[in-house]
Amino acid sequence: MITNTELQYRGDLYPSRIVSYKHDVDSVFFYTDNNVILKVTVIRDSLIRFRFTTKGYFSNDFSYAIDKNHSQGYNFLEVSDNETYYQIKTSKVQCRIQKLDLRLSVFDLDGNVILEDELGFHWEESYEYGGNIVKMSKASKEGECFYGLGDKATQLNLKGKRLENFATDQYAFQKDQEPLYKVVPFYIGLQNKQSYGIFFDNTFRTFFDFCQERRNVTSFWAEGGEMNYYFIYGPQMQEVVTTYTDLTGKPELPPLWTLGYHQCKWSYYPESNVKEITAKFRELKIPCDAIYLDIDYMDGFRCFTWNKDYFPDPKRMVAELAENGFKTVVIIDPGIKIDKNYAVYKEALEKDYFCKRADGPYMKGKVWPGECNFPDYTNPEVREWWAGLFKELISDIGVKGVWNDMNEPAVMEVPNKTFPMDVRHDYDGNPCSHRKAHNIYGTQMARATYHGVKRFAYPKRPFIITRSAYSGAQRYSSSWTGDNVASWEHLWIANIQMQRMSISGMGFTGSDIGGFAEQPSGELYARWIQLGVFHPFCRTHSSGDHGNQEPWAFDEEVIHITRKFVNLRYQLLPYLYTMFWQYIEEGIPMLKPLVYFDQEDAQTHYRNDEFVFGNQILVCPILEPNALGRRMYFPKGEWYNYWTNTLVPGGKEMWVDTQFDEIPLFVKAGAIIPKYPVQQYVGELEFDELTLDVYYKEGKEKSVVYEDAQDGYDYKKGRYSLLSFQLTGKSNKLIIQLHKEGKFETNYSKYKLNLIGLPFKIKSLKIDSEKVPFDKEAFEADNYLVVDKEFAVLQLIGE
Ligand code: GLC
């Protein structure tokens, strides 16, 4: 415990006695005798905001992260007090604020402490910049665990670590290296089987210390701005994550093709090379939906231009690629080359859209094109202008997606790799320095890009990918984890990063499969693709410095493994699309770390490797060379080995044998997994049946399948199809009830049931209680049962 004398020695100040309070519709203001005001706002019964000022008044309330459409409203709010504290009670939690020193604590309704201030709010005045370094410390309980914070390249459980949030271009980052590209100041605490969340919405450089400096204390602080944080009550992690995601916003559905496989390299050029690569995918029958053009497609790295030597007729090329099922995605960076003959530069200069230094000159820095100026994306007028620049690329040329890079922002050849801190920003009418705008810069660029691409792609859906992101960026863009390395350690990192991003509200993320820097062995590439197909965004990318990284850069076996796993991803597209839909509707993370899946089971608290893909598929990558199996933990439930169909009971650790062309993959008993036929790209085939892998279970299990037109916005008008299956297994009977919703008519007319683990031989079939003929021989030949699409109850009755 730090004493007050120590604090004063450090220059920290802390609030004093509450002298009065005021209460309006949803907020309570507590005033102290040293100008500190605490504003407590109840947003929902389980979501409370705490905002502090030391000035005696609050500045304009503005946040880029909070989604204006987040759910609000509560059932119950009551304020009371006794001698020592004030109490605010909702239908989920009670919050106490000490009269003596403003320290606060939150309890569940049974009186269990969920979160408790240690010193609570304190601060240090910043004489250099003005304002305060704002700090918060919480008492941490024995056994408490911590998760979240975006893209951190370290163990999933953050206990014992200190982490920093400052968007940074971290080429070839290492395990535990800090800080990285993304800034998600949101964490989940788990203690005594209860989860809660903290979102510290402050865009200055922030730090989190999870019991590293002091064993029983968790703290977080920022180099400026306000102590402004949201407390989210679970008690299940699902409630914490979905509430956070609702607060910071959910994306729209991406077009289905973006969930296919993407191929990228720095760089594919000229046109003939792009054509060779795409043709090879078709020749080898490895499905692929997107091909990327990195910076070399441009004329001297000038954004929104083309190198006409390499790409003489981009529109024709993009159209030809599209005919073959390839969507073209191009990179666009923030640095605009200083060149008075370059239209984009000239216009931005004329309109005064570039960021300026404190004393007036434009911010100048080197990136790929050489000396550049940088648009101030925190100015709404600049965002609008930027959005308009996409007209030619999207409407005329037919590009389908835009890749925003270097938007931390990255600057070359300077020690801090970014803008000097005195650079000025508009911050949507709240002018500030780069200290405050740095972490949000990339997100505002992605936001402007998203609006542009959406405008010109309409009525189709846009696709954006960004490297830098702050909380809320998921509303506009997918992301990737930046410049990783072709190493086994990075495969381990990628696995954890994607789970962490998923529970940090930014699920549509992937790693550069195979590694960006250096060259993977065939084995490493194969193991990476085997994991990468289970990541929401699935793209191979490499720097090209050390050789090629297309599947055929490796031997036949690796080509075979790539095809096998990419095929599996394409078969699972309806499953993947359904999990995406659950993410956009309810904020449910697409990848679920084991601790998310079952927080009550302490065995899951420190697991890093296994995760649940969607709701019913358990994935465990192979992360070492020469491994023909591994130990893994099976969470609660029963799990079918995907490759052998043998059933494994959950709740224990076990060794699992695998081949080089397999990874441990399990399906939850009772699941009904929808599958499409393998296609070389989304929309290649029309098919008249939907395969359903039905995994028998004694008991009940629910599965859903969401489908729509795969692009466009009709789904928002009810033109979607939602199938809800309820499976009920008995010793000699399997009942499948089907409920349908939505106005979208799928093309297929039947279901092809693949029955797995049935403990009885089928004697007869009933559809909606009418007996229907059962062709025993045909069934026994291939184990498939074809059923008409229109059924409400299907019964398989045993002998
Ligand atoms: C950055 C990106 C990388 C890209 C390269 C060239 O390093 O992270 O993905 O290929 O720039 O544009």
Side-chain angles (χ1 to χ4, degrees):
M1 178 86 173
I2 290 189
T3 63
N4 284 349
T5 337
E6 268 180 84
L7 270 181
Q8 261 148 10
Y9 175 72
R10 261 179 18 193
D12 281 342
L13 301 156
Y14 46 94
S16 307
R17 195 181 289 272
I18 298 177
V19 290
S20 63
Y21 83 102
K22 190 176 86 187
H23 182 181
D24 67 19
V25 194
D26 60 355
S27 300
V28 189
F29 295 80
F30 295 98
Y31 300 89
T32 67
D33 57 9
N34 68 344
N35 265 342
V36 173
I37 310 171
L38 161 62
K39 180 180 179 187
V40 182
T41 305
V42 176
I43 300 168
R44 286 161 64 176
D45 291 281
S46 54
L47 175 60
I48 305 180
R49 179 179 179 194
F50 299 98
R51 204 183 159 199
F52 296 83
T53 176
T54 63
K55 300 179 295 198
Y57 62 90
F58 283 103
S59 306
N60 183 31
D61 190 16
F62 175 77
S63 165
Y64 280 115
I66 304 297
D67 181 9
K68 63 177 189 324
N69 301 317
H70 72 271
S71 326
Q72 296 183 49
Y74 45 84
N75 302 318
F76 181 77
L77 167 60
E78 182 195 82
V79 186
S80 59
D81 76 327
N82 67 15
E83 234 167 71
T84 52
Y85 57 79
Y86 290 97
Q87 174 159 295
I88 298 170
K89 201 169 165 197
T90 77
S91 72
K92 298 271 173 67
V93 291
Q94 37 197 335
C95 167
R96 287 181 197 156
I97 297 117
Q98 298 295 327
K99 291 186 169 175
L100 189 65
D101 54 11
L102 210 64
R103 280 192 306 151
L104 58 95
S105 41
V106 187
F107 300 82
D108 67 12
L109 294 184
D110 297 329
N112 301 308
V113 186
I114 305 161
L115 185 72
E116 189 177 23
D117 277 357
E118 186 238 6
L119 294 168
F121 174 53
H122 51 295
W123 73 98
E124 202 183 309
E125 275 201 50
S126 169
Y127 291 101
E128 194 178 352
Y129 299 106
N132 299 317
I133 299 164
V134 290
K135 310 176 184 185
M136 173 58 66
S137 65
K138 305 281 181 195
S140 176
K141 298 272 179 317
E142 197 68 35
E144 189 163 6
C145 298
F146 303 94
Y147 308 92
L149 287 196
D151 62 349
K152 305 300 178 193
T154 190
Q155 275 82 7
L156 195 73
N157 187 342
L158 299 170
K159 173 110 181 209
K161 298 183 190 294
R162 174 176 286 198
L163 304 123
E164 179 180 349
N165 290 318
F166 187 73
T168 304
D169 174 11
Q170 208 65 273
Y171 173 79
F173 59 91
Q174 293 174 0
K175 177 169 178 268
D176 295 322
Q177 184 162 356
E178 285 278 290
L180 297 181
Y181 304 87
K182 315 269 182 320
V183 174
V184 185
F186 160 67
Y187 74 86
I188 304 157
L190 169 62
Q191 187 253 120
N192 195 18
K193 302 189 175 168
Q194 299 214 65
S195 286
Y196 66 89
I198 297 285
F199 173 41
F200 180 24
D201 186 13
N202 181 315
T203 56
F204 284 82
R205 189 192 295 262
T206 52
F207 294 86
F208 287 78
D209 186 302
F210 298 109
C211 311
Q212 191 201 58
E213 185 177 303
R214 286 177 292 148
R215 206 162 55 85
N216 301 320
V217 179
T218 291
S219 55
F220 48 94
W221 63 100
E223 289 186 347
E226 269 182 11
M227 178 47 63
N228 165 38
Y229 72 97
Y230 295 78
F231 166 83
I232 306 167
Y233 179 56
Q236 289 300 314
M237 211 175 276
Q238 168 153 331
E239 286 145 3
V240 177
V241 175
T242 56
T243 302
Y244 166 77
T245 310
D246 181 74
L247 183 65
T248 56
K250 294 169 270 200
E252 295 175 341
L253 272 176
L256 185 61
W257 65 265
T258 63
L259 301 183
Y261 172 73
H262 303 216
Q263 183 69 33
C264 187
K265 177 188 165 172
W266 177 15
S267 289
Y268 290 129
Y269 71 89
E271 175 178 336
S272 57
N273 178 234
V274 176
K275 289 283 183 57
E276 247 169 67
I277 299 291
T278 50
K280 194 81 181 170
F281 273 99
R282 297 296 180 248
E283 181 198 320
L284 292 176
K285 292 216 166 315
I286 299 173
C288 184
D289 259 280
I291 185 83
Y292 282 61
L293 302 181
D294 204 330
I295 48 174
D296 298 282
Y297 81 89
M298 301 177 199
D299 172 19
F301 308 126
R302 290 170 187 83
C303 292
F304 305 100
T305 67
W306 288 79
N307 179 321
K308 289 290 168 95
D309 293 335
Y310 298 153
F311 299 99
D313 186 354
K315 183 172 178 163
R316 178 193 39 75
M317 178 189 76
V318 168
E320 284 166 9
L321 290 169
E323 260 167 48
N324 201 12
F326 283 94
K327 290 76 177 170
T328 306
V329 180
V330 300
I331 198 166
I332 290 284
D333 289 351
I336 299 298
K337 187 178 175 71
I338 301 181
D339 169 0
K340 60 181 181 350
N341 298 315
Y342 166 35
V344 176
Y345 172 75
K346 274 198 309 201
E347 197 185 350
L349 193 67
E350 255 167 51
K351 295 187 165 153
D352 200 17
Y353 284 166
F354 291 125
C355 296
K356 286 190 189 123
R357 301 296 300 268
D359 298 328
Y362 286 119
M363 159 61 209
K364 194 160 92 175
K366 274 200 189 144
V367 215
W368 309 119
E371 303 254 294
C372 287
N373 292 148
F374 301 83
D376 183 10
Y377 301 103
T378 71
N379 179 340
E381 195 182 320
V382 175
R383 287 198 299 271
E384 181 55 31
W385 162 75
W386 183 261
L389 296 175
F390 288 93
K391 183 168 190 310
E392 191 188 1
L393 270 178
I394 309 297
S395 306
D396 305 348
I397 300 178
V399 162
K400 290 288 182 295
V402 173
W403 169 24
N404 281 168
D405 185 23
M406 308 295 277
N407 54 355
E408 291 70 30
V411 177
M412 293 165 175
E413 297 170 28
V414 290
N416 74 344
K417 305 191 210 178
T418 190
F419 292 2
M421 293 300 129
D422 68 273
V423 168
R424 306 293 301 162
H425 294 273
D426 180 67
Y427 213 91
D428 279 67
N430 303 275
C432 67
S433 79
H434 197 63
R435 290 187 340 113
K436 179 169 171 179
H438 174 83
N439 280 339
I440 199 74
Y441 186 86
T443 301
Q444 296 314 302
M445 180 195 188
R447 174 185 182 183
T449 302
Y450 159 79
H451 284 297
V453 178
K454 183 168 174 174
R455 184 176 308 162
F456 301 114
Y458 196 81
K460 300 274 194 214
R461 304 174 193 163
F463 173 61
I464 318 299
I465 164 167
T466 181
R467 192 170 72 176
S468 183
Y470 181 80
S471 294
Q474 69 270 11
R475 304 203 290 272
Y476 317 116
S477 183
S478 66
S479 67
W480 90 107
T481 53
D483 296 343
N484 61 358
V485 183
S487 69
W488 290 94
E489 186 169 77
H490 262 274
L491 180 57
W492 178 89
I493 293 174
N495 180 29
I496 295 175
Q497 282 185 311
M498 254 48 75
Q499 295 179 55
R500 202 195 304 287
M501 287 294 280
S502 249
I503 57 168
S504 302
M506 278 185 203
F508 195 9
T509 303
S511 67
D512 283 351
I513 294 176
F516 177 73
E518 296 172 30
Q519 177 75 353
S521 65
E523 186 187 7
L524 176 59
Y525 183 78
R527 290 310 192 188
W528 209 314
I529 202 92
Q530 289 172 334
L531 171 63
V533 299
F534 296 105
H535 286 159
F537 178 61
C538 178
R539 179 184 78 161
T540 293
H541 181 38
S542 71
S543 69
D545 292 348
H546 306 265
N548 292 333
Q549 207 156 295
E550 297 77 42
W552 53 90
F554 309 99
D555 65 19
E556 281 301 322
E557 203 178 4
V558 175
I559 296 177
H560 154 77
I561 291 172
T562 307
R563 185 186 301 114
K564 176 172 167 173
F565 276 79
V566 177
N567 281 351
L568 177 58
R569 182 173 176 101
Y570 276 73
Q571 289 182 295
L572 289 174
L573 279 173
Y575 179 85
L576 185 50
Y577 201 46
T578 302
M579 66 199 225
F580 215 114
W581 173 76
Q582 290 177 328
Y583 168 49
I584 68 140
E585 281 287 303
E586 296 170 64
I588 294 176
M590 294 186 270
L591 308 184
K592 298 168 181 72
L594 286 199
V595 63
Y596 177 103
F597 191 77
D598 187 7
Q599 66 183 35
E600 258 103 80
D601 178 358
Q603 294 292 327
T604 65
H605 294 181
Y606 280 86
R607 303 293 311 189
N608 289 310
D609 296 354
E610 311 84 347
F611 63 93
V612 179
F613 172 71
N615 299 316
Q616 295 164 320
I617 299 181
L618 174 65
V619 181
C620 185
I622 296 284
L623 302 169
E624 283 175 359
N626 304 315
L628 287 177
R630 60 163 294 159
R631 291 194 75 79
M632 66 176 278
Y633 187 74
F634 290 84
K636 69 177 176 196
E638 286 183 303
W639 302 90
Y640 282 91
N641 185 318
Y642 179 80
W643 311 107
T644 63
N645 289 338
T646 48
L647 197 58
V648 178
K652 60 178 181 188
E653 197 184 60
M654 261 182 53
W655 173 268
V656 179
D657 286 324
T658 58
Q659 307 297 318
F660 181 32
D661 68 349
E662 290 173 0
I663 56 167
L665 197 60
F666 293 82
V667 183
K668 197 172 174 204
I672 296 184
I673 309 283
K675 278 182 172 168
Y676 286 165
V678 172
Q679 310 174 74
Q680 295 312 299
Y681 56 89
V682 166
E684 184 201 22
L685 302 179
E686 281 209 2
F687 37 88
D688 66 350
E689 53 192 21
L690 177 71
T691 299
L692 297 172
D693 286 355
V694 179
Y695 291 87
Y696 173 86
K697 165 186 181 175
E698 179 140 12
K700 287 184 192 295
E701 175 80 14
K702 207 181 153 197
S703 304
V704 288
V705 182
Y706 172 88
E707 288 166 292
D708 62 19
Q710 309 183 351
D711 205 338
Y713 289 92
D714 280 359
Y715 74 99
K716 293 199 172 181
K717 297 183 213 133
R719 263 176 233 116
Y720 63 86
S721 148
L722 183 65
L723 309 176
S724 306
F725 294 100
Q726 169 82 50
L727 175 147
T728 311
K730 302 188 175 162
S731 58
N732 69 339
K733 210 185 209 182
L734 181 68
I735 306 165
I736 299 174
Q737 286 158 286
L738 169 59
H739 174 77
K740 291 188 182 186
E741 196 189 305
K743 292 188 282 194
F744 180 73
E745 270 303 316
T746 51
N747 285 331
Y748 54 83
S749 56
K750 353 175 228 221
Y751 301 111
K752 188 173 167 190
L753 271 52
N754 177 19
L755 298 163
I756 297 147
L758 218 56
F760 54 84
K761 283 203 164 176
I762 304 173
K763 187 177 75 184
S764 61
L765 284 186
K766 271 189 189 169
I767 289 186
D768 301 347
S769 64
E770 298 231 344
K771 223 166 161 184
V772 292
F774 169 59
D775 184 345
K776 200 170 169 184
E777 256 169 53
F779 175 69
E780 278 167 8
D782 60 6
N783 211 40
Y784 282 117
L785 189 69
V786 177
V787 181
D788 192 273
K789 194 174 164 185
E790 302 304 326
F791 78 84
V793 187
L794 170 69
Q795 298 189 57
L796 316 186
I797 300 148
E799 281 178 352

